Amino acid sequence: MKITGIKSIRLRASIPPQGRFVSRSGQRSHRSTLLVQVVTDEGITGIGSCSGNGAILEVMIERVLKPLLIGKSPCEIKELWETSYFHSVAKELGSRGLGVVALSGVDVALWDILGKAKGEPLFKLLGGAARDKVSVYATALYPEAPAEVAKKALAFAEKGFRAAKIKVGFDLARDIEIVRAVRAELGSDFTLMTDANQGYTLGVALKAAEAFAACGAAFLEEPLFVEDIKGHAALRAQGKVPIALGENLHTRFAFENFIARGAVDILQPDVARAGGISEVVEIAGLAARHGLSVSFHTWGDAVALAASLHLAAALKNSGIMELDCTENPLRSELLTEPLEAQDGFMSPPEGAGLGIELDPKALERFAFSGAEELSPWQKALSA
Ligand code: MG
């Protein structure tokens, strides 16, 4: 079998006004993604997903990755990843960043092809199911009046979730009020996570960690700027609450730096950003060798969610996984059979490869070829 084509599909969906939300990453009024289709001469097509600026990723795939991969066997995934990364992406586009994101989408599509060629679901190719079902936590608690956030958290508990994440990283007194209100509403059995999206300085984060630990927070995610390894290490040394991060790290090498300096407890790679399935397996292996667990970051679209579910089902040191529960048509409407949680658990699709089928009507509905909207930070700087 040979690769005969690579196509990019840019998608964008508006979030209805009642579903819009604000975190330290900015206000969201739409969701966008870039899907990758790798086509072969045997009629098998693999699908992957990249989470980043679609217009730029499209060019990287077309101009940098496609010329390397056309004519190659799609099943030699390790060889293709290493050639792409070490001999091209890292040299031409940089060892971190969007080049790695582009490679992530292609890698996921190659694993989908391998699974389809062998007639096996991806989790079996990754060593088989380490667990029957994957425990997921809900990400959907954004800053609002504390009583309102507590009410929403209760609604998730009533849907069967046993864990949810609260977005913090704003005014500390207000953040603490919200976390306390949610804990009071849900009692001590419910698992609460906190995520600052890099919003704190070290001084504030030290106080936040203490306050959230007193509320029984399971972890504090991305408390500081992503490159501040020293700050994360200081916070972890304080020992109040486990430190989780990884959604903005690319490749095992970035994770290795945090581990080596004692700056992280829970690794959160995103399969559509960190280097694809191949690299997430490497990152989970690295975590295992250091006695750490992984908790997959999932955002973006249903293809990335499916890939994450296969990984979370198969990898032994994978803990509870994130489930984006905001209104996101690219998660809920993209597949002919949507992936949904049942009582706080999910299972990977049983079909070959990723086991998913894209809904052609959704692809038409969300097709997008315009310029990406300015990010909240770009807007602020250009104002
Ligand atoms: Mg996060």
Side-chain angles (χ1 to χ4, degrees):
M1 186 167 24
K2 290 207 173 358
I3 297 171
T4 53
I6 301 184
K7 294 182 199 161
S8 300
I9 306 171
R10 284 177 71 195
L11 302 175
R12 177 167 146 151
S14 290
I15 303 173
Q18 73 278 9
R20 293 180 186 176
F21 54 90
V22 177
S23 75
R24 276 309 291 247
S25 301
Q27 181 168 19
R28 300 273 181 169
S29 57
H30 72 275
R31 299 291 291 267
S32 55
T33 196
L34 183 93
L35 302 181
V36 185
Q37 276 182 324
V38 177
V39 183
T40 67
D41 60 353
E42 292 190 13
I44 298 178
T45 296
I47 181 85
S49 159
C50 310
S51 178
N53 186 308
I56 298 173
L57 288 165
E58 197 170 34
V59 174
M60 287 175 159
I61 290 169
E62 186 65 29
R63 306 257 178 95
V64 180
L65 292 171
K66 193 171 160 184
L68 276 177
L69 300 172
I70 294 289
K72 301 273 169 54
S73 161
C75 299
E76 310 290 323
I77 302 179
K78 192 175 168 61
E79 172 69 23
L80 294 183
W81 196 98
E82 291 190 353
T83 303
S84 301
Y85 181 71
F86 291 106
H87 299 295
S88 182
V89 169
K91 286 180 180 162
E92 294 170 56
L93 305 174
S95 59
R96 312 278 166 80
L98 283 183
V100 177
V101 176
L103 177 55
S104 304
V106 171
D107 180 84
V108 172
L110 294 176
W111 279 94
D112 189 31
I113 291 172
L114 183 64
K116 285 171 175 164
K118 289 182 177 260
E120 299 227 359
L122 177 57
F123 69 85
K124 287 206 175 150
L125 301 185
L126 296 171
R131 49 192 62 80
D132 294 339
K133 46 190 184 172
V134 175
S135 175
V136 294
Y137 68 84
T139 292
L141 301 175
Y142 287 81
E144 285 180 85
E148 195 55 35
V149 183
K151 205 168 104 189
K152 286 191 176 162
L154 183 62
F156 280 107
E158 285 169 353
K159 274 191 215 161
F161 284 96
R162 297 177 184 94
K165 191 159 78 184
I166 306 171
K167 291 289 182 173
V168 294
F170 294 88
D171 173 70
L172 180 59
R174 177 76 158 175
D175 290 346
I176 294 172
E177 223 184 303
I178 291 173
V179 177
R180 281 184 183 153
V182 175
R183 174 56 79 205
E185 184 71 45
L186 296 180
S188 56
D189 283 348
F190 199 85
T191 301
L192 283 183
M193 294 84 165
T194 51
D195 181 2
N197 289 104
Q198 309 181 46
Y200 292 140
T201 57
L202 179 58
V204 175
L206 288 163
K207 290 181 196 151
E210 194 159 357
F212 299 157
C215 296
F219 60 68
L220 173 55
E221 176 175 328
E222 284 201 318
L224 307 170
F225 175 56
V226 64
E227 297 293 351
D228 185 3
I229 304 182
K230 192 176 165 193
H232 284 96
L235 196 54
R236 184 168 180 253
Q238 180 200 27
K240 293 290 179 189
V241 66
I243 303 301
L245 54 85
E247 69 185 78
N248 287 299
L249 299 184
H250 304 115
T251 76
R252 76 201 85 153
F253 307 112
F255 284 90
E256 208 161 25
N257 287 340
F258 273 85
I259 294 171
R261 291 169 68 181
V264 62
D265 294 288
I266 299 159
L267 277 55
Q268 298 174 307
D270 185 317
V271 71
R273 292 173 67 80
I277 288 162
S278 302
E279 194 62 3
V280 167
V281 170
E282 294 283 342
I283 293 163
L286 181 67
R289 289 194 291 283
H290 289 86
L292 302 172
S293 64
V294 292
S295 169
F296 295 116
H297 176 263
T298 69
W299 194 245
D301 61 52
V303 176
L305 177 58
S308 303
L309 281 169
H310 284 282
L311 285 159
L315 301 182
K316 286 198 174 60
N317 62 330
S318 169
I320 192 165
M321 187 184 108
E322 178 173 34
L323 177 64
D324 163 25
C325 291
T326 63
E327 285 201 43
N328 177 4
L330 299 180
R331 184 193 68 247
S332 56
E333 297 175 32
L334 198 55
L335 305 182
T336 51
E337 285 180 44
L339 305 167
E340 277 159 9
Q342 202 86 53
D343 291 327
F345 288 95
M346 296 180 82
S347 298
E350 289 283 339
L354 292 173
I356 54 172
E357 207 177 310
L358 299 171
D359 178 354
K361 287 200 192 104
L363 293 181
E364 227 170 87
R365 194 157 65 245
F366 301 127
F368 179 68
S369 59
E372 292 295 333
E373 223 171 56
L374 289 181
S375 74
W377 311 118
Q378 286 168 324
K379 272 186 201 160
L381 291 171
S382 62

